[in-house]
Amino acid sequence: CHGSVVDLWFDYCWSLDRLHPIEMGGRGDDIPAQPRRHVDSTMHIRVVTALIEREGRYLITRLRPVGILAWLWEFPGGKVEPGETDDTAVRREIRDRVGVDVMVGCMKAHRTHHYVGYAVDLVLYEANIIQEQDLRPLRVAEFRWVAPLELEQYPFPPADQATAYLLLGIRRGRPDGGVAPRAQQDGS
């Protein structure tokens, strides 16, 4: 799941934004101990999202006009239910939202975004639509296939915005406007 220019770019961007590193198995014996911080009693909600690419464009869905995130765009996904694996949750959420079956690939990143009173643990997975299937807006207002440079035209919730920044190559807080130099993009 690693090794391509895109993979290196994802790893680079997520590390610059101080996002959680991807934990890919093992017992963690080789990871140096971190100093203990105070225990966070905030309610955490685990959410999985799918990064589905087709011909250089990424699938985004628009939320329905209800709730605090009404009409915002997001990468498709949703909450992991009790007793459910991430893989099962991704497949269920994509089927429920746009009516297609997907094969879930590698975890690309994990990020925690704090809201007032709760935190969202957002886990991003690569996913591919199985065979040729027609998408339908079932539990979303609409969907679109969007090129990375078009993503900034769509308002996202804060947790999804980091994923959009990754695809755009933007690092928040950079004095040069946010785009990493070419040498860093291709991993050299």
Side-chain angles (χ1 to χ4, degrees):
C1 288
H2 293 284
S4 74
V5 171
V6 171
D7 292 325
L8 293 171
W9 181 235
F10 269 86
D11 294 341
Y12 170 76
C13 289
W14 284 96
S15 68
L16 287 177
D17 277 340
R18 295 182 187 90
L19 303 175
H20 297 294
I22 299 172
E23 295 182 14
M24 303 297 279
R27 296 188 330 235
D29 295 340
D30 55 337
I31 300 172
Q34 297 293 320
R36 288 235 177 238
R37 298 184 185 134
H38 97 303
V39 176
D40 182 5
S41 61
T42 304
M43 178 179 70
H44 284 255
I45 300 167
R46 188 167 180 90
V47 173
V48 291
T49 61
L51 186 63
I52 303 172
E53 184 265 337
R54 182 176 72 186
E55 298 175 8
R57 297 170 118 24
Y58 293 90
L59 178 65
I60 60 172
T61 56
R62 192 173 195 184
L63 297 168
R64 291 179 172 174
V66 294
I68 61 172
L69 302 177
W71 292 118
L72 294 178
W73 291 86
E74 67 178 356
F75 293 93
K79 187 173 137 182
V80 178
E81 299 297 337
E84 193 174 42
T85 66
D86 285 4
D87 183 88
T88 302
V90 169
R91 288 185 286 115
R92 175 184 52 76
E93 286 289 344
I94 302 304
R95 189 178 323 106
D96 289 353
R97 290 172 186 266
V98 293
V100 297
D101 292 314
V102 296
M103 182 174 62
V104 180
C106 298
M107 181 195 311
K108 297 306 291 182
H110 173 233
R111 176 177 205 271
T112 299
H113 186 84
H114 294 273
Y115 293 91
V116 175
Y118 66 100
V120 173
D121 293 323
L122 182 69
V123 186
L124 176 69
Y125 287 92
E126 283 184 343
N128 295 300
I129 297 173
I130 299 172
Q131 300 173 351
E132 287 295 318
Q133 300 177 63
D134 292 327
L135 281 74
R136 302 177 315 273
L138 302 175
R139 282 187 32 223
V140 296
E142 62 182 298
F143 64 87
R144 292 196 183 157
W145 291 97
V146 180
L149 291 177
E150 298 169 343
L151 286 170
E152 62 188 342
Q153 300 170 24
Y154 298 88
F156 285 88
D160 281 78
Q161 189 65 54
T163 302
Y165 284 155
L166 286 176
L167 296 174
L168 290 170
I170 293 174
R171 178 181 170 209
R172 289 171 288 167
R174 285 183 64 105
D176 62 0
V179 179
R182 182 73 188 146
Q184 293 175 341
Q185 288 181 14
D186 65 13
S188 48

